Amino acid sequence: HKDDEVVLIMNGVQGLADALRKSLKDTRERQEGKAQRGVIQGGRVRIGARSYPFKAVVDCSTEEGTLVWVQLSKGGTAIILGA
């Protein structure tokens, strides 16, 4: 066994859940602060397979189908930085 496998076996299901939670948190933290490309669809910003409510901090079009640059907030809102 590798060291990480032994740790997961020793910690059981709770250890696995903790490891998954940490991985998701780390991923979210890496994405915060990075501008991402999205498109406005159905009154929300779609980035890949996910969609987010949005707020615009610049004067730009927020019509359906508009491509925008956004930054995700900790609360899960897409902040529009530009189009």
Side-chain angles (χ1 to χ4, degrees), residues 48-67:
R50 302 192 73 178
S51 69
Y52 305 88
F54 69 86
K55 292 183 181 178
V57 295
V58 293
D59 186 19
C60 66
S61 172
T62 57
E63 294 176 8
E64 186 81 8
T66 301
L67 290 173

Side-chain angles (χ1 to χ4, degrees), residues 20-71:
L20 289 173
R21 240 187 320 277
K22 182 180 181 334
S23 175
L24 289 173
K25 181 179 179 239
D26 291 347
T27 300
R28 276 194 306 269
E29 287 174 354
R30 277 195 308 274
Q31 287 178 344
E32 287 174 7
K34 290 185 178 180
Q36 299 179 57
R37 197 69 159 150
V39 63
I40 297 178
Q41 291 180 342
R44 296 171 65 90
V45 172
R46 176 162 302 284
I47 302 170
R50 302 192 73 178
S51 69
Y52 305 88
F54 69 86
K55 292 183 181 178
V57 295
V58 293
D59 186 19
C60 66
S61 172
T62 57
E63 294 176 8
E64 186 81 8
T66 301
L67 290 173
V68 292
W69 285 102
V70 300
Q71 183 173 354

